[in-house]
Structure formats: structure tokens, C-alpha cells
Amino acid sequence: MPDPSEHLVTLYHLNDLGPAELRRLLPSHPDLRITEIGPDEDPRDHLGTLETATIVLAPLEKERRITAELLDAMPHCRLIQSVAVGFDGVDHRAAAERGIPVANLPGFNTDAVADWTVGALLYLLRPYAFGHAKVERGTWGPEGVRGRDVSSLTVGIAGFGNIGRAVARRLDAFGARVLVHDPVPSEPAREYVDLDELAARSDVLTLHMPLNDATRGVIGEDVLRRMPRGSWVLNAGRGGVLDEAALVRALDSGQLAGAALDVFTEEPLPASSPLRGRTDVLLNPHAAGVTHEAYHNLRASVIDSLDQVLSGKPPRNVVNGVAV
């Protein structure tokens, strides 16, 4: 008989991490029960399954978010593991109130997101797509493709965690001036400024902030108005940090020259979004962190985290302050 004391319930369904693959990757725990609540299933229809769960892999979909109601159905849960850097798939505060740790997987896609950010910046500064289309049309010459040197610009980084620091290292190599806004001075040699000063001094503003009550919509009309006219905004952090309606107005008025967005307030981006169909906006389907290397890093990280807890050790990277 399998030991029913450890029961892994997964609401996560990407990167080939289904029950069979999880079992293959956790050979040291042959008695582990693994149950999947699939992407088309409502977790509220599986309260009996959740009742015996000891570890839960959180979903990515907001519609299947682990709410306080679901947390109350998990009396034996001792870890909710996000299979991402973000942990929007669980009400982490409600989990803390119930003594359930929530952990994430920081760092697995740091290089991927930082590379995308700098690549997106180059796309905005040097109109690659326009130049390509020009050649395809049979025309030639520099008209319309004159860009900017990265080394001539000041880049403000809002949010200076793993990814923000990786972006800064790349920009250092380009010779850009880098300003930082973050409550924790993780690299004291950097120039840290408040958000208003960051906006006022930045030709490029790149966002790598977490989404919480303090940051929701914080990059809005006032911040964008402070930026130099003809500047650029990039967001590869969290969609809700940026007020998209304010962004569209800033683009329409010429206050901003362009934007590159990997994340959005509503995902998938609605067909009616005014961000669609613009030549001054680069859109990406929340995939900045998707590379072959990040894929392998993620799988290794989540298996290591699960093995840690299943072996009786405390979880790593707890984000909601619950001590185990």
C-alpha cells in the first residue's frame, strides 16, 4: 500500500511536469501520492482531493487561484509551491494566516528575462522591423531607420532584484548610465533614487517590480508625464504595475516614443486592447523568460524544492514569512 501521508496535488500543467514525469523525477519517494487537477477543472470541485494534500503546486491561471476558501480545504498542507518567480496563483497572505508557507522559484529565468529586456530595448532604439520591411518592399537608404546609441541614454530600472541587477550588468557593458529604484540597496555602489526622480531622469524606464498593493498601477499618468519627451518604457515584470490606459495616452501624445511589453494587466491580451496594431509597441505573450536553459532550470528547481520538503527539510524561498 502506498504511504498516504505524503500527497502532492498539482494544479500546474506546463513544462511537461505532469504526474508521470513528477514521479519519474522523484525516485527517492516511491510512496508519494500524486494527483493532478487539470487546467480545465475547477479546484473547488476537488475539495476532497485537497483535504489530504500535503504539498500543492500552485496554478498560473488567475481563474484557478488558490483562495482562502481552497486553503481552508487543505488542513494538512505544509507547502504551496509556485512553479515560477511570481506567486500570483495563491493568496499568500491568507496562506500565512493559516500557517502554510508559500515558496517560489527565484532565479531560474533571470538571464532569459534580462536578455529579452535588452533585446527589446534595442528593437525600440533601432527600428529593425521597419528596416526589414523597407528592404522587402524594394526600397533602400537610411530614411526612417536612424536610431539611438544605448551608450547615449540613461536607463532607469524600477525593481532591482535578480532580474533588475542582470539587466544593469548588461547595460553597463553597453555604456549606458543606470539609475535604480528599489527599497533595498542590494548594490550600494549604484545610484538609488525615488520613483519621481527615476522617471524625470530616465530616457528608458524598465520595470521589474513585484505586483502588490503598493505597486499596482504605480507607473501611471504622473510618472509617465515626468519622463523626458520621446522616451521609452519596457515592462517584463508584472502587468498590473503599469497603467496601460495611461501608457496609450502617453504614446498617442508623443510623450513616449515607444514601449515593449511582455506582461499585461489582463492575459491573454484582449483583442480589443488599444495596445494592438501599433508600430510603436512591441508585444510579447508573457514569454520573456522562456528559453531552453530556463526550461531546464525550472524543472531542476521545482524537483529540488519538492525533494527538500519530502525529505523532511524546511522549504526554501518562502515568500510569505511562514517559518517552518
Side-chain angles (χ1 to χ4, degrees), residues 255-290:
Q255 171 64 12
L256 293 180
L261 308 174
D262 179 56
V263 292
F264 306 90
T265 302
E266 182 180 347
E267 296 181 358
L269 184 67
S272 61
S273 171
L275 291 168
R276 292 181 179 271
R278 305 186 65 108
T279 59
D280 53 0
V281 177
L282 172 64
L283 304 175
N284 203 51
H286 201 154
V290 178

Side-chain angles (χ1 to χ4, degrees), residues 7-26 29 32-39 41 57 303 306:
H7 184 191
L8 170 62
V9 176
T10 175
L11 289 88
Y12 177 85
H13 62 94
L14 296 178
N15 294 298
D16 302 320
L17 284 173
E21 184 68 356
L22 287 167
R23 189 170 301 286
R24 186 184 73 82
L25 294 171
L26 291 164
H29 309 282
L32 174 67
R33 295 170 60 205
I34 302 177
T35 305
E36 180 178 42
I37 299 176
E41 298 180 88
L57 295 186
I303 294 303
L306 294 175

Side-chain angles (χ1 to χ4, degrees), residues 37 41-48 50 63 67 69-70:
I37 299 176
E41 298 180 88
D42 188 335
R44 292 172 297 182
D45 295 333
H46 297 270
L47 299 184
L50 294 171
E63 297 79 10
T67 61
E69 175 191 1
L70 294 178

Side-chain angles (χ1 to χ4, degrees), residues 210-239:
L211 179 62
N212 52 45
D213 291 341
T215 63
R216 191 179 302 277
V218 69
I219 309 300
E221 202 91 49
D222 290 343
V223 171
L224 298 178
R225 190 185 301 120
R226 291 177 186 275
M227 295 186 68
R229 188 168 181 82
S231 49
W232 297 268
V233 170
L234 299 90
N235 190 10
R238 290 290 176 265

Side-chain angles (χ1 to χ4, degrees), residues 30 70 75 81 83 99 110 114 140 143 182 204 216 262 285 301 309:
L70 294 178
Q81 177 68 58
V83 192
T110 294
W140 204 258
E143 294 81 8
D182 195 278
V204 178
R216 191 179 302 277
D262 179 56
S301 294
V309 176

